[in-house]
Amino acid sequence: MSNYGMKAVEFGLEYPPMGIGKRRTLLPYKSVSSLYPAKADEDVLVTANGRQRIDIVGNPYHERVIYRRERIMDMRWKDTPDPPDVAYAIPEARKLLKQGRFEDAAKVMDKATKDAGYDKWIDSRPFGVEFPRLHPRLHSVIELLTDIKEGRNCHDYLRYLDMMSGEAVVRCEDDNGGILRRSFVSFEKEVTVQEMKRLNGEALDVDMRFVAPGGYDNPDHFDQFVLVTYNDMYEIEGSDVEITTSPDSCTVSLAYDPQFGERGYCCCSVIRTDGETSYREGGYIQVKNAHQVTILSRTVKYEEAYRHSLAAGVLEEVRQIQDSYEDMLSANRIYLAPLMERSEVRLSGDWALSAEELLNEQHGGGELSAMMLEKLYDMGRFFLITDTGDDPPSLFQHNINTNLQVCSGNMTGLPEMMDIYFRFYEEKFDDFRLNAKRFYGARGVLGNIHCDYNSGKFYQFSIVYPHYCWTACLGWIYNEFWGHYLVSGDEKFLRERVVPGLKEIALFYEDYLSDVDENGKVLFYPSYSPEDPSMNDYHVPFPKNVYAMNVNSLMDVMVCREVLDNLLEACEILGLDEPGLPKWKELRGKLPDYLMDEDGAVKEWSFKYSGENYDHRHVSHHYDIWPGRAISPEKTPELVKPFILSNRKRGHQDDSAHGVIHRYFTAVRLGDLPDAIHNFRTLMEHGYVTRTLNTVHYPYRVFCPDLLGAMPAMILEMLVYSDEGFIKLLPAVPKDLSKGSLHGVWLYTFAKIEEMEWDLESGQASATISSMKNQTIEFSFPLGYKELRIDGKVYGECGSKFELELKKDAAVKLDFRMI
């Protein structure tokens, strides 16, 4: 037996964790628990009500809570500038693009935007790269530091999130009576609620500090908090901060630099306690001999005419809230629980395992951790519910990023959240019309990849990232509009909201696609694949003719085709005799063909002069596979291999999660199960999932909800695929998930899975499906199953497909056997 001198190292935990036996008596079933406080910013507990959010580190004695609010960001301007009028330069750029002179064409457009004065919106980055100044970044509102004297013999530490109420709990036991911290954000009262007390009911002392942006410049006895890595409390340049403190309240008011408009916000907190309180200016409050300390906080954002004096009114509103902690928590549960219960997946495993234990189980190299996936399913839906307020989840770019963040909403029964997503874009059509006119002299709409809450105008211009050349933004977004129609059957929504939007997108295409090539195919130019920068500008070797501004991005072509197909189908369904029908049909017939590389893989660009970048973090030219449904083994068997090759040939570039997710969706829908599981396991095992089952953009860094929002859809892809008139059950269930059940899955063919169970070991599965209308559905037999029974009678045997007549508002139960 070899001996390499290996020895287990015991890392002493600061707060010894609670054992699993005790956890089972304490934790709610739908919860995520952690065995020690956050050591990095990505590992905080997060809870929210859509508008207000808190991030909780979880230290029982020295806690740090980061307050955030929707629409609070550092300002860049008073009013978003109008896009430059550069349509005059488009003909010259197109002439150069058609000749394959991509760099020269980009320089023509770059000069036009700079001549228009837009060079001031360009930031300088490493390697001499010009980078577009992106939308204002979100920042935290305040931070609350609370200090309680540490007890001896601390043990049974635990922090957890209850997804049925949004309550985040931090607790431990010690010789002084232990600590219990509970927090949530009230949906009904629009306040953050925090409570501190001892587990045994004895009194405690609490020191508090409310920290405004930039407030850590003044060291004090709270220095220990600054050592936590989670800190974006940077100074907001040019802002005016006022902190008002009293024995039972603290108000932090921030007025932005007046040059950015009279904007500002206030965070007003009220302390309720039976203890003795004292304070000093600067946000310091001390509570002594208290049996309970409760803090209610509300943050309000003002877009105009903000004055510090407005905070007094907000503080008084908070004071007027007389509901108890338990009453407000109960109201949260009444709101959240039914939403969480609409769609559920049950898999095997121990529900009381902590996130660390589940991750360790997954990292062990064995089977997929079924319970971790079940919890991620719930966490993805919890995120979509609690991150949707006046705006939808909208972090990063409005293409695959925001799409991933909301893509589970239609399938898992969250139309309330999806409606806010839809309205976010519908309300910006005037700005989108201006974009189309200024850049291309076109009618219709051109969506901005970096919309913020108050503007859809383009203001980012860069030779490296020419986002205004990506014409598919709104078409991609309207894929979810169409999806809502397919899962709901709502023809009023189709008529009043889908068709008007698609018509304006098509109107833009009528003008933008004004030129044809030698084969009579329209030219998409200038065109862009939105995360494929001009690599040649980085002064490192890259493939020839890989340039951001290019011709015929295949994704652009695919999105245009989908827009036209859906518009034509909608007109037929609704019996609309639109004047544009002949033009849309003609345009549909003139779209470019796909091109293959020398290995037979589909290329990202359908233009003879365009190069191919294989080390690329996304596969958006697989759009017709996901989120679209135009390409599938059933519809287009001849395209399966070319797209599998394209998927497998790509590198991961900078390891961004969204690229790996899109590769997974591509592989699982094409039946390439080994590659699907490879990509899925990469996401589960290589640092994309945190110790609170949140997710990040890169392995172990940069919080990003792309993976979190997508998790329910990713899991469901293994269990069901649907398209108009077609359902495929259990198409890709790995042996790791050999047994389970689900309920509440809305299908993209006016139907719903009410219940489904499967057990691969026993060779049995069943599904109860209801329909929203009378229709004939073609089913694919679940993988490995040979017999179908309905009402106990054999309906089909050993077939890969069968048809079933579904009646409106009636349910049918299908029983499958492997026999």
Side-chain angles (χ1 to χ4, degrees):
M1 182 176 180
S2 61
N3 184 350
Y4 288 91
M6 298 178 68
K7 182 180 179 181
V9 180
E10 294 185 3
F11 293 94
L13 290 175
E14 188 175 6
Y15 308 117
M18 183 182 293
I20 194 167
K22 190 170 182 178
R23 271 181 262 156
R24 287 198 184 95
T25 68
L26 178 68
L27 288 173
Y29 184 85
K30 283 189 186 297
S31 63
V32 172
S33 63
S34 173
L35 300 182
Y36 53 96
K39 303 293 185 183
D41 54 358
E42 295 85 5
D43 292 326
V44 293
L45 283 172
V46 177
T47 189
N49 73 347
R51 286 169 292 278
Q52 316 225 28
R53 164 181 153 181
I54 49 175
D55 299 353
I56 302 165
V57 170
N59 189 305
Y61 303 108
H62 314 294
E63 183 60 288
R64 184 179 198 162
V65 177
I66 300 95
Y67 288 61
R68 303 183 184 278
R69 196 193 192 283
E70 185 179 59
R71 300 187 175 185
I72 287 184
M73 52 183 66
D74 53 335
M75 296 291 106
R76 299 280 171 86
W77 41 65
K78 180 179 180 181
D79 299 304
T80 306
D82 286 347
D85 190 351
V86 295
Y88 72 88
I90 290 291
E92 177 63 18
R94 284 180 166 175
K95 177 182 176 182
L96 296 167
L97 287 168
K98 202 169 184 179
Q99 297 170 7
R101 296 169 59 185
F102 307 116
E103 186 171 356
D104 292 339
K107 288 178 178 178
V108 166
M109 294 306 299
D110 186 55
K111 182 178 184 302
T113 56
K114 289 179 177 177
D115 287 348
Y118 277 75
D119 53 330
K120 62 185 175 182
W121 305 126
I122 298 293
D123 288 338
S124 179
R125 295 296 172 98
F127 308 110
V129 173
E130 290 185 331
F131 198 87
R133 180 171 293 184
L134 304 183
H135 51 78
R137 66 176 176 174
L138 299 171
H139 65 77
S140 40
V141 176
I142 66 165
E143 293 187 8
L144 172 59
L145 313 181
T146 56
D147 203 4
I148 299 171
K149 183 179 179 181
E150 293 198 22
R152 296 184 305 276
N153 188 30
C154 176
H155 61 281
D156 282 347
Y157 172 86
L158 186 68
R159 60 178 179 141
Y160 65 88
L161 172 69
D162 179 356
M163 288 179 274
M164 299 293 272
S165 66
E167 185 182 40
V169 177
V170 178
R171 57 177 290 151
C172 70
E173 298 183 21
D174 60 32
D175 291 349
N176 287 345
I179 297 294
L180 177 64
R181 296 175 178 269
R182 303 195 293 164
S183 309
F184 66 96
V185 186
S186 170
F187 285 88
E188 184 178 69
K189 299 299 180 179
E190 194 58 40
V191 287
T192 294
V193 188
Q194 299 179 71
E195 179 188 83
M196 291 166 277
K197 59 185 179 182
R198 292 204 181 277
L199 288 169
N200 68 354
E202 296 294 323
L204 78 170
D205 299 341
V206 181
D207 288 344
M208 305 181 202
R209 181 187 175 190
F210 294 85
V211 185
Y216 286 108
D217 291 341
N218 302 314
D220 54 32
H221 70 287
F222 286 94
D223 278 357
Q224 57 199 320
F225 292 95
V226 183
L227 298 178
V228 180
T229 59
Y230 200 98
N231 183 14
D232 63 353
M233 292 299 288
Y234 54 86
E235 186 116 24
I236 309 301
E237 186 175 351
S239 64
D240 177 35
V241 178
E242 186 175 285
I243 303 176
T244 305
T245 318
S246 79
D248 71 340
S249 70
C250 182
T251 293
V252 177
S253 173
L254 185 146
Y256 290 100
D257 189 323
Q259 70 172 311
F260 301 135
E262 296 181 332
R263 292 183 169 103
Y265 69 83
C266 58
C267 180
C268 301
S269 300
V270 172
I271 293 88
R272 295 179 181 171
T273 180
D274 61 349
E276 303 167 4
T277 64
S278 60
Y279 77 100
R280 62 186 172 95
E281 288 301 332
Y284 296 86
I285 297 177
Q286 188 175 68
V287 181
K288 286 187 172 296
N289 198 31
H291 294 90
Q292 182 172 298
V293 179
T294 304
I295 305 169
L296 305 183
S297 306
R298 176 181 292 167
T299 303
V300 180
K301 171 77 180 293
Y302 294 83
E303 294 298 327
E304 56 185 13
Y306 182 68
R307 300 290 184 271
H308 291 307
S309 58
L310 292 172
V314 176
L315 181 63
E316 182 58 28
E317 290 174 359
V318 177
R319 288 191 187 280
Q320 294 301 314
I321 298 173
Q322 297 301 312
D323 304 64
S324 70
Y325 183 100
E326 297 299 340
D327 287 342
M328 288 186 280
L329 182 64
S330 177
N332 254 32
R333 190 176 300 277
I334 290 170
Y335 173 76
L336 262 176
L339 292 173
M340 291 298 298
E341 290 170 343
R342 280 184 193 169
S343 181
E344 296 178 305
V345 168
R346 289 292 176 95
L347 303 170
S348 59
D350 190 337
W351 61 272
L353 289 172
S354 69
E356 292 92 351
E357 290 164 334
L358 291 169
L359 284 165
N360 194 47
E361 183 177 270
Q362 183 62 64
H363 292 161
E367 296 182 349
L368 290 170
S369 173
M371 181 49 62
M372 188 171 90
L373 299 189
E374 180 180 326
K375 288 183 179 291
L376 283 169
Y377 186 93
D378 289 334
M379 277 291 286
R381 298 187 72 253
F382 178 82
F383 157 76
L384 181 52
I385 295 166
T386 60
D387 205 66
T388 300
D390 295 320
D391 300 327
S394 53
L395 188 63
F396 300 146
Q397 295 182 347
H398 292 267
N399 56 6
I400 197 168
N401 296 126
T402 55
N403 189 202
L404 287 172
Q405 290 162 35
V406 305
C407 69
S408 301
N410 282 326
M411 292 184 75
T412 69
L414 294 174
E416 303 93 336
M417 286 71 228
M418 295 307 295
D419 187 62
I420 291 170
Y421 176 76
F422 301 147
R423 292 184 187 280
F424 183 83
Y425 302 102
E426 290 173 320
E427 292 169 356
K428 297 174 177 60
F429 264 48
D430 283 343
D431 289 346
F432 296 156
R433 293 183 189 105
L434 185 61
N435 291 339
K437 181 179 180 181
R438 290 290 183 91
F439 284 105
Y440 296 103
R443 300 166 297 167
V445 286
L446 177 65
N448 177 9
I449 194 172
H450 290 118
C451 290
D452 56 46
Y453 68 93
N454 63 357
S455 175
K457 297 174 183 176
F458 267 113
Y459 52 80
Q460 319 91 335
F461 313 105
S462 164
I463 200 168
V464 181
Y465 291 94
H467 291 127
Y468 59 91
C469 297
W470 187 50
T471 59
C473 177
L474 273 179
W476 186 311
I477 288 161
Y478 265 75
N479 172 276
E480 294 291 352
F481 280 72
W482 187 257
H484 175 75
Y485 162 66
L486 294 180
V487 300
S488 69
D490 186 345
E491 292 193 3
K492 184 174 185 289
F493 179 85
L494 181 65
R495 181 186 300 274
E496 296 180 2
R497 299 180 67 181
V498 180
V499 169
L502 293 180
K503 283 172 62 177
E504 289 219 53
I505 299 169
L507 187 61
F508 172 79
Y509 284 133
E510 288 179 30
D511 292 351
Y512 168 71
L513 300 175
S514 56
D515 295 344
V516 297
D517 63 15
E518 61 275 15
N519 298 314
K521 300 290 187 178
V522 292
L523 288 165
F524 288 74
Y525 72 143
S527 184
Y528 177 47
S529 188
E531 297 194 12
D532 201 356
S534 293
M535 295 299 182
N536 297 312
D537 279 357
Y538 283 100
H539 308 298
V540 291
F542 277 91
K544 184 179 179 182
N545 289 336
V546 172
Y547 218 90
M549 187 177 292
N550 216 304
V551 180
N552 288 354
S553 162
L554 185 55
M555 174 183 48
D556 280 359
V557 178
M558 289 174 164
V559 171
C560 177
R561 180 210 50 74
E562 182 180 82
V563 165
L564 296 174
D565 282 353
N566 290 346
L567 182 53
L568 292 169
E569 182 179 344
C571 289
E572 181 178 352
I573 291 167
L574 298 171
L576 300 177
D577 186 16
E578 291 286 342
L581 280 168
K583 293 181 182 178
W584 303 332
K585 291 177 181 177
E586 179 186 9
L587 186 56
R588 172 66 175 84
K590 295 166 67 175
L591 297 180
D593 299 321
Y594 299 171
L595 295 182
M596 310 290 182
D597 68 12
E598 62 277 7
D599 297 320
V602 176
K603 291 169 64 75
E604 185 175 7
W605 304 92
S606 288
F607 186 58
K608 58 186 176 182
Y609 295 127
S610 299
E612 200 75 0
N613 176 22
Y614 291 101
D615 187 16
H616 188 351
R617 69 180 185 171
H618 77 143
V619 287
S620 54
H621 62 302
H622 297 177
Y623 177 92
D624 267 348
I625 304 166
W626 186 93
R629 288 175 170 75
I631 294 173
S632 69
E634 291 76 23
K635 285 182 176 178
T636 56
E638 74 282 3
L639 292 177
V640 170
K641 184 177 180 180
F643 276 99
I644 286 177
L645 285 173
S646 173
N647 206 40
R648 286 184 168 230
K649 287 183 68 172
R650 294 275 168 166
H652 282 178
Q653 193 192 355
D654 62 2
D655 294 316
S656 300
H658 64 266
V660 188
I661 300 167
H662 204 169
R663 285 168 173 77
Y664 164 78
F665 277 127
T666 297
V668 75
R669 285 197 170 180
L670 294 181
D672 186 4
L673 303 189
D675 199 44
I677 296 302
H678 165 73
N679 284 290
F680 193 85
R681 293 188 73 118
T682 295
L683 294 162
M684 296 300 102
E685 297 174 358
H686 292 273
Y688 296 95
V689 180
T690 77
R691 292 194 303 104
T692 47
L693 300 193
N694 284 294
T695 60
V696 291
H697 191 55
Y698 306 106
Y700 300 104
R701 61 191 175 95
V702 184
F703 176 82
C704 177
D706 289 0
L707 177 57
L708 188 61
M711 276 306 304
M714 293 175 67
I715 293 167
L716 288 178
E717 286 289 337
M718 300 176 182
L719 307 177
V720 60
Y721 172 82
S722 60
D723 192 6
E724 292 182 72
F726 179 72
I727 297 173
K728 183 159 48 175
L729 298 173
L730 303 174
V733 184
K735 60 181 177 61
D736 315 29
L737 308 180
S738 62
K739 185 176 182 179
S741 65
L742 63 80
H743 80 261
V745 177
W746 280 256
L747 304 175
Y748 293 100
T749 180
F750 318 108
K752 177 187 175 187
I753 298 179
E754 302 290 350
E755 305 282 347
M756 186 166 78
E757 297 181 352
W758 67 94
D759 185 341
L760 299 185
E761 291 185 8
S762 69
Q764 298 185 53
S766 66
T768 301
I769 297 177
S770 61
S771 180
M772 298 164 197
K773 67 178 187 179
N774 296 330
Q775 58 177 322
T776 301
I777 296 291
E778 182 182 272
F779 282 78
S780 175
F781 261 77
L783 195 65
Y785 288 84
K786 305 298 182 184
E787 180 184 272
L788 164 65
R789 291 175 179 262
I790 300 177
D791 296 329
K793 298 179 181 179
V794 176
Y795 187 88
E797 291 183 289
C798 300
S800 60
K801 296 178 183 178
F802 62 93
E803 286 189 350
L804 195 63
E805 297 287 335
L806 298 182
K807 302 298 182 183
K808 182 179 179 180
D809 299 329
V812 59
K813 184 179 181 184
L814 312 178
D815 289 297
F816 297 96
R817 296 182 182 181
M818 288 185 173
I819 61 172

